[in-house]
Each structure stands twice: as structure tokens, then as C-alpha cells.
């Protein structure tokens, strides 16, 4: 299936997607230029944890955020095909393509290589603002660079493709058949020491539903690149044109009469409010506003809150636990001065000086990398 640069989700697909990360948008061809309808921001708060239309996916209940590490049982799930039936005892991963020699590695061999361990926040590329398509875990595995070095990479290689074991009927795209979920990343990213094949999650063997026994883990990039149930690593000299590379998880922007497409790249700076929930009724006493903030290629240095819709700001307190590619918890004890209705807004700043945008960029026509400011409307009595 070829990419038509005028393809982007229609307003109905967009609305459905914002009600849940698990309802992936259908790409439809739309000629000409028109604005895309968006639901009111309040509709994206308090979203369902799962949807009957996507039984293989589940959000983290972000309102219950209370620890830096997300337990495996609560970590969000996103799958197009569900957990495949696997022969874990004989699991292998093969490095092939533009290499000096194909190499196949069994799990016991991977365990003997030097370990890499990272605390990394994974966010689904389509996570709506204010929802739970994001979680934080401690990952352990082997560096992809170690395997590539043993296979010997061709000097002309430019990217690698992670190929999973899950495939079949893609119900979110009208039932087309897909051989396997696969995504590519630049070779330069693959060679970073932190890019790994993970086989442990929060000090436990990687659970089946999270890609066990082996998954790619690409720190700082959206979860779409961290392919689960990994079977092959293909080193390539040319741009990968697999179905999910062409038809999902990219950014398209409106530039005049043209739609320009680019890769998503690193996770964008974002802060979300865990508590209070939208529509809460609060007392005049102290209420703790709490949440988390994250960024893929920098550290969060500040989270500010506004209680008047973004006109004035106060700085929250950041949690002490942090790693370069993991979220920062934050909190603020708020004592309202008087009863009334308030709009709470959270925005983050990173170590590169980038500030989370207040509003959605209207030129973006794809439902990915959503990072405009999270808001809660509450009443104080």
C-alpha cells in the first residue's frame, strides 16, 4: 500500500481515537483542505481503560499514579494482534540483511552478554492528552550494538528493522493481512548503548503480554518503535517500506495546500495531571495536585501549574527519583482563596529550554505525539 500525502484521519476517526489510544485511526484519502474537528478537551479526560473494539490493548489508570515505577500488571498494553502463541524454550533472534554474516542468538546466549539496565518511560505514539497510554519501568537486556558488532554491519547500511512475531488480520485497518508488526529506526539510534533487546521488566522475566521473552526497547522514542516478541533484526541500506512504517505512527503537517510527512522521532515534552480528575468538587482546604512529566531527548527541569486557565503560573515540586529517559513525578499543595470554578493547567520545561505548548498545533493532521497542555476543570465549594 503506497502513501498518499493527502491521506489523514477524518474527524470521526480522530474523535474515536481521542476516546482511546486503542482505537487506532483509519487513514482515509481526503482531497483538498479542510479543518479537522476535535472534541472538547474535557472529553479526553477520564477516558476508559479499555475498549471492546480493541481487546488487546489497555491503558494505565493514570488517575492512580502513586509511584515512580509502574508495576508490570498495571503497565499499559498496546497490540494490534494480541499475544502470539510462542515457543519460548527455543526462542531465537536473528540479525540479517546488510551484514557480513547472519547471526542467530538463543536466549541463553543473550543472557551471557553484558547487561544493560535503564529506567525508561514508554508512551504510545497515539496517547491522547490526559490519558494512560504511558508507563514507566526498569528494563534489563543486551545492547543492540553488541549483536550488530558480532554480525558486522555493512558500511552502506542506514537503518535497522525490528520484526516481531505478531501478525495476521489487522482489524483496525479493515481486516487487511499483515505478515508481522515491524518498524525501523536509524542505524545511529540502534548503535546507542541504551537501545536494547529487553528480557526483564522491573526485575522480573519480561511478561508475555509486554513482548516476552524478548522485545526491542528504544529509550526516548515512542513505544511504536519498541517492537515486541522480537524475532529478527534486519540491517538495511534502503528506507524500510513496511505497512506500519507507511501507514501508522508518523507526523503529517498541513503546509499551505500541501501535507508534509516526517518521522515522529523522540518523545515530545509532556506533563499530565493524575489528580484531581476533571469535574471534581474540591473544598477550600489544601488539595494536592499531582502528576508526571517526561521527555525523550532531555530531562524535565520544571513543571508549572496555572489555576486560571494559563494566565499566571506557580512552580510545582519535582520528585527526587529521575533518570534521563524516565518521567518525573510532581506535586503541588493548592489552597484556593475562594469558592468558584477553576481551570488547572500543567506545563513542563526541559533541560533544552523547550516549553510544553499550551494548545494543540492545528497544522498537525495526524493523531500522534500529542503533547499540548493537560487541563482539569474543577469546582471549589
Amino acid at each position: 500500500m503506497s502513501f498518499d500525502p493527502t491521506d489523514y484521519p477524518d474527524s470521526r476517526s480522530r474523535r474515536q481515537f481521542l476516546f482511546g489510544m486503542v482505537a487506532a485511526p483509519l487513514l482515509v484519502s481526503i482531497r483538498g483542505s479542510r479543518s479537522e474537528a476535535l472534541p472538547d478537551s474535557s472529553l479526553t479526560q477520564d477516558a476508559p481503560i479499555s475498549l471492546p473494539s480493541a481487546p488487546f490493548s489497555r491503558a494505565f489508570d493514570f488517575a492512580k499514579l502513586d509511584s515512580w515505577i509502574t508495576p508490570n500488571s498495571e503497565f499499559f498494553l498496546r497490540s494490534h494482534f494480541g499475544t502470539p502463541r510462542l515457543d519460548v524454550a527455543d526462542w531465537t533472534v536473528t540479525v540479517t540483511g546488510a551484514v557480513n554474516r547472519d547471526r542467530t542468538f538463543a536466549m541463553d546466549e543473550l543472557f551471557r552478554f553484558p547487561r544493560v539496565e535503564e529506567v525508561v518511560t514508554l508512551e504510545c505514539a497515539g496517547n491522547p492528552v490526559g490519558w494512560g497510554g504511558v508507563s514507566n519501568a526498569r528494563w534489563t537486556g543486551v545492547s543492540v550494538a553488541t549483536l550488530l558488532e558480532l554480525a558486522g554491519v555493512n558500511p552502506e547500511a542506514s537503518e535497522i528493522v525490528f520484526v516481531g512475531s505478531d501478525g495476521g488480520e489487522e482489524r483496525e485497518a479493515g481486516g487487511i493481512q499483515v505478515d508481522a508488526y515491524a518498524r525501523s529506526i536509524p542505524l545511529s539510534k540502534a548503535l546507542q548503548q541504551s537501545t536494547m533487546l529487553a528480557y526483564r521488566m522491573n526485575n522480573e522475566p519480561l511478561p508475555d503480554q509486554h513482548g516476552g521473552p524478548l522485545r526491542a526497547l528504544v529509550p526516548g522514542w515512542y513505544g511504536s518503535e519498541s517492537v515486541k516478541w522480537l524475532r529478527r533484526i534486519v540491517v538495511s541500506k534502503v528506507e524500510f517500506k513496511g505497512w506500519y512504517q507507511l501507514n501508522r505512527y508518523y507526523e503529517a503537517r498541513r503546509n499551505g495546500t500541501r501535507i508534509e510527512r516526517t518521522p515522529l522521532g523522540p518523545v515530545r515534552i509532556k506533563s499530565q495531571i493524575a489528580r484531581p480528575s476533571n469535574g471534581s468538587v474540591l473544598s477550600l482546604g489544601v488539595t494536592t495536585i499531582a502528576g508526571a512529566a517526561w521527555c525523550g531527548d532531555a530531562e524535565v527541569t520544571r513543571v508549572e501549574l496555572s489555576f486560571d486557565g494559563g494566565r499566571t503560573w506557580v512552580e510545582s515540586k519535582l520528585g527526587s527519583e529521575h533518570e534521563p529517559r524516565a518521567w518525573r513525578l510532581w506535586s503541588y499543595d493548592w489552597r484556593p482563596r475562594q469558592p468558584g470554578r477553576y481551570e488547572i493547567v500543567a506545563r513542563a520545561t526541559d533541560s533544552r529550554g523547550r516549553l510544553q505548548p499550551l494548545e494543540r498545533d492545528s497544522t498537525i493532521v495526524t493523531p500522534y505525539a500529542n503533547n499540548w497542555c493537560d487541563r482539569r476543570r474543577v469546582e471549589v465549594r
Side-chain angles (χ1 to χ4, degrees):
M1 182 176 181
S2 61
F3 171 69
D4 183 338
T6 63
D7 287 358
Y8 58 92
D10 66 9
S11 59
R12 181 180 58 182
S13 295
R14 173 67 180 178
R15 183 181 297 270
Q16 182 184 20
F17 193 96
L18 283 173
F19 281 156
M21 162 196 70
V22 293
L26 301 180
L27 297 182
V28 295
S29 179
I30 299 180
R31 304 295 172 182
S33 174
R34 65 170 175 80
S35 61
E36 183 182 17
L38 268 178
D40 184 89
S41 62
S42 64
L43 298 178
T44 68
Q45 319 296 342
D46 308 325
I49 302 304
S50 60
L51 292 176
S53 59
F56 310 131
S57 303
R58 184 193 71 230
F60 166 54
D61 191 348
F62 202 78
K64 295 181 179 178
L65 174 72
D66 61 1
S67 63
W68 188 51
I69 297 294
T70 310
N72 292 352
S73 60
E74 298 178 23
F75 202 97
F76 85 93
L77 298 173
R78 177 65 173 122
S79 173
H80 291 265
F81 307 101
T83 304
R85 295 184 178 180
L86 307 173
D87 184 3
V88 175
D90 297 322
W91 193 268
T92 61
V93 61
T94 298
V95 181
T96 186
V99 295
N100 295 339
R101 55 199 173 280
D102 290 357
R103 290 294 302 267
T104 297
F105 302 91
M107 290 300 297
D108 60 351
E109 188 174 3
L110 296 179
F111 295 152
R112 292 195 295 269
F113 290 128
R115 287 189 171 192
V116 177
E117 187 169 282
E118 291 266 340
V119 178
V120 173
T121 296
L122 278 188
E123 182 180 17
C124 175
N127 183 36
V129 170
W131 205 39
V134 60
S135 301
N136 191 53
R138 186 179 303 276
W139 308 89
T140 305
V142 56
S143 175
V144 172
T146 298
L147 307 189
L148 295 178
E149 181 179 0
L150 292 171
V153 176
N154 189 293
E156 298 178 5
S158 60
E159 63 182 37
I160 70 164
V161 184
F162 292 126
V163 183
S165 299
D166 53 330
E169 181 181 301
E170 174 51 280
R171 292 190 289 178
E172 297 173 9
I176 69 168
Q177 291 293 317
V178 179
D179 290 339
Y181 183 89
R183 291 281 293 182
S184 71
I185 62 172
L187 179 61
S188 58
K189 180 63 177 177
L191 290 174
Q192 292 181 3
Q193 191 68 18
S194 61
T195 302
M196 72 174 85
L197 304 188
Y199 49 73
R200 293 184 70 82
M201 180 181 181
N202 290 334
N203 300 317
E204 299 177 359
L206 184 63
D208 292 350
Q209 62 184 350
H210 292 297
L214 193 70
R215 71 175 295 168
L217 196 284
V218 185
W221 287 39
Y222 286 100
S224 50
E225 318 309 315
S226 293
V227 175
K228 298 186 286 291
W229 309 293
L230 192 69
R231 276 294 194 184
R232 284 192 298 152
I233 300 174
V234 182
V235 181
S236 180
K237 301 178 185 179
V238 298
E239 182 182 359
F240 177 56
K241 296 185 182 297
W243 194 87
Y244 287 99
Q245 203 75 25
L246 291 178
N247 299 288
R248 292 288 189 272
Y249 312 125
Y250 60 88
E251 181 171 277
R253 285 177 178 264
R254 185 182 293 107
N255 184 0
T257 59
R258 299 181 58 193
I259 300 294
E260 297 178 345
R261 169 180 170 148
T262 58
L264 291 178
V267 173
R268 293 173 185 169
I269 185 169
K270 187 175 185 179
S271 179
Q272 284 194 180
I273 301 169
R275 293 176 297 279
S277 61
N278 210 44
S280 293
V281 177
L282 310 177
S283 71
L284 276 173
V286 175
T287 295
T288 298
I289 316 299
W294 55 93
C295 183
D297 58 356
E299 290 196 59
V300 172
T301 57
R302 185 168 67 250
V303 175
E304 298 169 289
L305 295 175
S306 172
F307 297 95
D308 54 16
R311 291 189 295 275
T312 62
W313 299 89
V314 295
E315 191 166 344
S316 71
K317 180 182 178 181
L318 294 178
S320 59
E321 295 175 299
H322 63 98
E323 294 287 344
R325 287 167 287 273
W327 64 24
R328 297 288 301 271
L329 302 186
W330 56 263
S331 63
Y332 181 82
D333 291 334
W334 178 45
R335 185 187 293 274
R337 294 182 178 180
Q338 60 187 23
R341 294 180 179 180
Y342 294 84
E343 184 179 55
I344 305 171
V345 186
R347 71 177 182 187
T349 303
D350 69 20
S351 55
R352 295 188 178 187
R354 292 174 298 191
L355 188 65
Q356 185 179 359
L358 273 176
E359 305 290 345
R360 175 182 178 269
D361 186 339
S362 62
T363 67
I364 299 175
V365 297
T366 40
Y368 304 122
N370 307 306
N371 77 323
W372 59 91
C373 284
D374 195 9
R375 298 169 184 261
R376 296 290 186 273
R377 297 184 180 97
V378 300
E379 183 176 355
V380 175
R381 296 178 182 173

